[in-house]
Amino acid sequence: MVDLHTLTEHSRHRILFECVSGSRAYGTANADSDTDIRGVYAQAPSEFIALLAPTALIADERHNTVYYSLRRTLELLAVANPNILELLYMPEDCVRFDSPEMRRLREVRAMFITRQCADTHIGYAFSQIKKARGQNKWINQPKPQSAPRKEDFCQVLTRAALAGLQGAPCRPVALECSEIELTQCHAARLEHAQDIYRLYDFGKTARGVFRGNSIALESIALDQESPRFVGLLLFNERAWRQAIDEHRNYWTWRAQRNEARWRQQEAGELDYDAKNLMHTIRLLLSGESILLHGWPIVRFTNSARSTLLDVRAGRFSYTQVMEMAAQIKARCAALRDRADLPEDCDAAAVDHLLRELTQSWEQRCL
């Protein structure tokens, strides 16, 4: 299997296209912007005649550099993926490497311009709003470095509470509010009940309830059940695993993020992720261009570029950006049915094109 180093250093004959993408292609880069590289690489048909299919994407850890296989590129073009469609319209100053196959693909790029393209641009645009909200939550509610503990998702019904000897009967309390030590207990599943376990105190000889990432269930001798029973454990495992996922996602984001991007939010100057909302407006304007002119916008200029830079700089309120997005979306809706475009892509034509481009590359390089 080809990795990024092998592709770029030892198998460059596979590379059909390579460009600088992202903000540097859009004309919205600033001093803190990363340099994103996107490319397309070829695979021989013989590579698919194997138990392990060849990979469709090769990237670095942070996905700043990403190469798509030719087959995957055409698959995504056929379903109007905005991120792949823009590769066919890259400004010349962004192209680092080109090939006869990629030039041929650009010659017929109009076959991928459909009404569906406008739909996907709008869909991707509004997904950026959702993403912005989620990341804004991370800014305002940062996660601690320590991962969520299983014990924090535990409630217990003590033996006394079950018998009604302590206040109202059968009222669970947080584990930390009880005198039960799970490290000194064994657990057995409560029949016909999910996520509820009987607890037995074995003192210092116990092996504990939690071992690794799961509850260790024990078989309790019948003569030990009554004297060692201390109550019921209610463990919300689903909530704990969700919290673990959110914690991992947060710290992955923290480790990989561009710190300059978040200064305004962390300083309390903005209540939204300006970069995500800039991409919302960028995608909507590009979708509108498809319906009006028959092509997406990659490099923004003049007033459109100024608007994007103002959004990114936080010069609009969240409400103003949402109003702007709603207006462009409404214009797209009015244009969609009148646009002289097919509804979607001709799958058979795309299949033929994949064969043509692959054969061209094989004859030229293999």
Side-chain angles (χ1 to χ4, degrees), residues 321-345:
V321 179
M322 291 301 95
E323 289 174 352
M324 191 187 309
Q327 289 171 3
I328 304 171
K329 183 180 179 181
R331 296 201 301 264
C332 289
L335 288 167
R336 189 187 187 283
D337 291 337
R338 292 188 280 119
D340 186 19
L341 296 172
E343 187 65 28
D344 49 30
C345 198

Side-chain angles (χ1 to χ4, degrees), residues 8-131:
T8 57
E9 298 297 328
H10 305 292
S11 299
R12 288 200 63 87
H13 68 283
R14 290 180 176 270
I15 296 177
L16 303 177
F17 184 70
E18 186 177 272
C19 69
V20 175
S21 65
S23 60
R24 300 189 185 281
Y26 306 143
T28 59
N30 58 29
D32 298 313
S33 295
D34 295 325
T35 297
D36 298 317
I37 303 299
R38 296 293 179 267
V40 179
Y41 65 95
Q43 295 164 317
S46 60
E47 295 178 56
F48 291 88
I49 308 174
L51 291 177
L52 184 62
T55 183
L57 182 148
I58 298 172
D60 63 2
E61 185 176 354
R62 296 182 61 178
H63 277 228
N64 286 340
T65 299
V66 181
Y67 292 84
Y68 300 88
S69 72
L70 176 61
R71 183 183 187 199
R72 183 58 176 160
T73 299
L74 291 174
E75 285 176 346
L76 293 173
L77 285 170
V79 294
N81 182 290
N83 297 330
I84 303 302
L85 185 64
E86 70 180 31
L87 297 182
L88 304 186
Y89 292 84
M90 275 289 157
E92 289 186 10
D93 62 309
C94 291
V95 177
R96 300 188 0 166
F97 179 78
D98 208 356
S99 69
E101 291 73 32
M102 195 66 188
R103 288 192 287 274
R104 170 60 178 157
L105 182 52
R106 288 199 300 277
E107 285 177 5
V108 296
R109 63 190 179 185
M111 68 186 288
F112 300 106
I113 299 297
T114 63
R115 293 176 183 173
Q116 186 185 12
C117 290
D119 297 340
T120 54
H121 274 71
I122 293 169
Y124 273 52
F126 280 85
S127 73
Q128 292 294 322
I129 297 173
K130 182 177 180 181
K131 186 176 180 181

Side-chain angles (χ1 to χ4, degrees), residues 31 67 208 244 362:
Y67 292 84
I244 285 290
E362 283 191 302

Side-chain angles (χ1 to χ4, degrees), residues 187-366:
R189 189 179 299 280
L190 182 66
E191 294 81 356
H192 313 296
Q194 185 175 359
D195 298 332
I196 304 179
Y197 307 88
R198 294 191 296 268
L199 288 175
Y200 302 90
D201 191 336
F202 279 81
K204 301 296 184 182
T205 64
R207 293 187 292 275
V209 170
F210 290 118
R211 300 173 208 168
N213 288 330
S214 60
I215 287 183
L217 301 179
E218 302 282 355
S219 177
I220 309 300
L222 187 61
D223 63 343
Q224 296 291 304
E225 286 214 30
S226 183
R228 295 192 180 276
F229 178 72
V230 291
L232 296 178
L233 170 67
L234 291 71
F235 174 42
N236 193 340
E237 184 174 2
R238 179 178 296 179
W240 170 70
R241 292 193 181 278
Q242 181 178 342
I244 285 290
D245 287 341
E246 291 176 354
H247 182 270
R248 179 171 55 251
N249 291 338
Y250 171 79
W251 283 103
T252 299
W253 167 73
R254 279 293 301 267
Q256 296 181 353
R257 73 180 188 173
N258 183 332
E259 290 295 329
R261 175 175 172 181
W262 306 99
R263 289 173 189 153
Q264 286 180 292
Q265 282 179 271
E266 291 185 326
E269 298 171 10
L270 281 181
D271 60 354
Y272 61 84
D273 176 0
K275 185 174 181 179
N276 277 125
L277 293 193
M278 179 195 71
H279 286 307
T280 294
I281 303 303
R282 176 184 65 80
L283 285 160
L284 288 170
L285 290 173
S286 186
E288 184 179 27
S289 174
I290 288 171
L291 294 171
L292 281 172
H293 308 298
W295 60 77
I297 303 173
V298 178
R299 173 69 52 77
F300 286 80
T301 59
N302 302 325
S303 61
R305 177 176 180 269
S306 297
T307 298
L308 294 181
L309 293 176
D310 285 344
V311 172
R312 181 165 184 172
R315 297 191 179 101
F316 296 102
S317 68
Y318 179 82
T319 300
Q320 288 174 317
V321 179
M322 291 301 95
E323 289 174 352
M324 191 187 309
Q327 289 171 3
I328 304 171
K329 183 180 179 181
R331 296 201 301 264
C332 289
L335 288 167
R336 189 187 187 283
D337 291 337
R338 292 188 280 119
D340 186 19
L341 296 172
E343 187 65 28
D344 49 30
C345 198
D346 183 343
V350 178
D351 185 74
H352 178 79
L353 182 61
L354 173 60
R355 295 171 185 271
E356 175 192 337
L357 297 179
T358 301
Q359 289 171 359
S360 171
W361 171 74
E362 283 191 302
Q363 292 170 3
R364 185 171 60 83
C365 296
L366 296 185

Side-chain angles (χ1 to χ4, degrees), residues 157-171 173 177-179:
L157 276 165
T158 64
R159 187 167 188 163
L162 287 166
L165 301 178
Q166 290 180 345
C170 294
R171 297 292 195 273
V173 297
C177 297
S178 72
E179 297 181 354

